[in-house]
Amino acid sequence: MLVITFSSFVRRPVPSIYRTCLSKMSTTPSPICPKFVSVEGGDIHSRSKPDGIRFSLVSFNILAQAYVKSSFFPHSPSPSLKWKARSQSILTVLKDLGGDILCLQEVDEYDSFYKPNIESHGYSSIYIQRSGQKRDGCGIFYRQDSAELLVEERIEYNDLVNTIQDDPVSCVEKDNYTLDKEYKKDSVVKGTSEDRGDPDDPHVRLKRDCVGIMAAFKLNDPFCHVVIVANTHLYWDPEWADVKLAQAKYLLSRLDQFRKVVSDQYKCAPSVILAGDFNSVPGDKVYQYLVSGNNSVALVDCLDEPSIPLCSVYAHVRGNEPPFTNCTPDFTNTLDYIFFSPTDRIKPVSILQLPEENSPDVLGGLPNYYHPSDHLPIGAEFELTSD
């Protein structure tokens, strides 16, 4: 295991695709703030749609402080794990990114820290804490001068337990699933302290205390377009791929229902954006389901198939997903995505730049002085046009 020392961070140059957020003179490296870069054809789209307006969205798993212990992150410089340092670094990054909408996962200390501090910069917010004894949750922060909240709805994936029929034939037998060899991901942080109960009981298997939140916003623009934004954090364990797939199916079913309600209530055709930490790598079953909607799982066959076509922003504009959004010595891959439902009215025109695997600011794994979470923020700027 490669251990990164303080001096190694100081000596290494910061890649030019970033800017370092400097708030005061210090011998400690400051967090890096990624930049939005225009996608090919973005300017052409703007010239062809002169009435268009733009808004930006950032998704970021900020790493709940409840999960931060030196024993969980032995590769990280100890000072960078302290709550005071991490919380201020996260605020610095979020403030510099300046997204119109921020979809944050693993948010703990919401009432005591994030809500007052982020809202002091012109945001309002909605939040759902995880079920059970979990301390973190998902929050959507939105600029008051950019968007108006119309309606919100919360998603408790524990509700999936109620969809299971009493007939034993309908219950999950995990051995019947061909589980992808996806990845080994921070099992110490997310798994071993968790009492998961009898894995052969589908009622127990589905009760993972995961959540999501979705909301409809009226953008403050000349044609008052409505955008639905959903933010979620799916279950982590790669060996429980059936549970993650059940959650993904439930998520899209609920999102489809919510879209119909918003469409009817506000007499509009809302754009749809789905962001979060899906704990699924590109190409696995959850990812394939989200971008195709044609997968099925016996566990939730009682749910309607979703009718919302989705594509990943990064894959759409780059041709492939980023090399990684989560980076530790044991696992480096992409788990975070921004999906959108493509129409003639909405186009991604820029994306948040991400580092390569050999970038010195991620060498040895995250979090570190440059990046306050084990995940990287991702983001997109969209252009909307009137009917």
Side-chain angles (χ1 to χ4, degrees):
M1 180 183 299
L2 178 62
V3 178
I4 302 298
T5 65
F6 172 81
S7 59
S8 65
F9 282 111
V10 174
R11 288 197 300 266
R12 293 183 180 276
V14 177
S16 59
I17 63 171
Y18 294 120
R19 55 184 178 274
T20 304
C21 305
L22 293 174
S23 58
K24 60 181 180 179
M25 296 299 295
S26 173
T27 57
T28 301
S30 298
I32 288 176
C33 299
K35 295 184 286 189
F36 282 94
V37 293
S38 178
V39 304
E40 185 176 356
D43 293 336
I44 295 175
H45 183 260
S46 296
R47 290 195 296 271
S48 64
K49 304 284 187 178
D51 58 340
I53 59 98
R54 294 187 177 191
F55 76 97
S56 58
L57 181 144
V58 171
S59 180
F60 191 11
N61 180 329
I62 60 177
L63 179 58
Q65 192 66 21
Y67 302 143
V68 176
K69 296 182 180 179
S70 297
S71 59
F72 294 165
F73 298 97
H75 58 278
S76 299
S78 294
S80 69
L81 300 179
K82 302 298 184 182
W83 165 244
K84 184 176 181 180
R86 285 193 63 247
S87 59
Q88 293 303 319
S89 293
I90 291 168
L91 282 182
T92 298
V93 172
L94 293 177
K95 179 182 177 182
D96 193 85
L97 288 172
D100 294 303
I101 298 176
L102 308 174
C103 294
L104 306 184
Q105 306 89 43
E106 289 199 22
V107 180
D108 57 0
E109 308 295 342
Y110 170 74
D111 289 314
S112 63
F113 183 79
Y114 287 109
K115 177 179 171 65
N117 280 284
I118 297 179
E119 290 190 354
S120 69
H121 293 290
Y123 290 86
S124 290
S125 63
I126 54 177
Y127 176 75
I128 179 172
Q129 186 170 329
R130 292 180 64 189
S131 311
Q133 301 300 312
K134 306 299 190 300
R135 293 172 52 186
D136 62 301
C138 295
I140 299 178
F141 295 79
Y142 56 98
R143 284 191 176 278
Q144 296 173 336
D145 59 358
S146 299
E148 174 189 347
L149 176 65
L150 298 178
V151 61
E152 66 177 278
E153 193 167 306
R154 301 180 177 194
I155 300 173
E156 298 264 5
Y157 292 111
N158 284 354
D159 290 343
L160 279 167
V161 174
N162 300 326
T163 69
I164 300 174
Q165 302 176 14
D166 292 332
D167 182 359
V169 176
S170 68
C171 292
V172 172
E173 295 182 12
K174 62 185 177 65
D175 291 338
N176 290 339
Y177 289 90
T178 303
L179 298 180
D180 293 334
K181 248 179 140 180
E182 298 171 32
Y183 51 86
K184 175 184 178 183
K185 177 184 180 286
D186 57 2
S187 58
V188 174
V189 177
K190 300 293 195 299
T192 56
S193 62
E194 162 181 55
D195 180 10
R196 292 189 284 180
D198 180 7
D200 295 319
D201 182 347
H203 297 81
V204 174
R205 194 172 180 84
L206 282 174
K207 198 171 182 180
R208 300 297 99 212
D209 298 333
C210 299
V211 296
I213 190 167
M214 51 191 175
F217 298 97
K218 183 176 72 173
L219 299 184
N220 297 331
D221 58 65
F223 40 88
C224 298
H225 187 66
V226 174
V227 175
I228 291 174
V229 175
N231 177 26
T232 195
H233 190 180
L234 299 189
Y235 189 54
W236 68 270
D237 195 338
E239 295 184 1
W240 292 41
D242 56 308
V243 173
K244 289 191 285 187
L245 190 55
Q247 291 179 343
K249 189 164 188 176
Y250 184 59
L251 169 64
L252 263 61
S253 176
R254 289 284 302 276
L255 184 58
D256 189 24
Q257 295 171 17
F258 186 67
R259 181 192 61 167
K260 293 174 181 175
V261 169
V262 171
S263 298
D264 292 342
Q265 183 173 350
Y266 296 96
K267 308 301 180 185
C268 64
S271 297
V272 177
I273 300 174
L274 168 61
D277 177 356
F278 295 85
N279 272 316
S280 304
V281 298
D284 74 3
K285 291 180 180 180
V286 170
Y287 181 91
Q288 290 173 356
Y289 174 73
L290 290 169
V291 298
S292 67
N294 61 7
N295 221 331
S296 63
V297 55
L299 185 60
V300 286
D301 273 348
C302 57
L303 298 176
D304 294 333
E305 290 292 344
S307 58
I308 301 180
L310 294 173
C311 64
S312 167
V313 168
Y314 280 80
H316 178 77
V317 302
R318 291 165 38 110
N320 56 271
E321 297 293 351
F324 64 96
T325 62
N326 178 248
C327 181
T328 65
D330 292 331
F331 171 79
T332 298
N333 210 323
T334 296
L335 300 176
D336 307 270
Y337 307 93
I338 297 172
F339 299 101
F340 75 107
S341 185
T343 67
D344 291 338
R345 295 195 62 187
I346 183 170
K347 300 286 184 182
V349 292
S350 67
I351 56 175
L352 204 59
Q353 185 70 285
L354 297 175
E356 299 295 331
E357 289 189 60
N358 61 354
S359 183
D361 57 293
V362 299
L363 184 63
L366 309 180
N368 57 30
Y369 292 116
Y370 292 134
H371 301 282
S373 173
D374 55 341
H375 289 250
L376 297 167
I378 58 175
E381 186 181 25
F382 296 92
E383 187 166 86
L384 292 165
T385 55
S386 60
D387 293 325

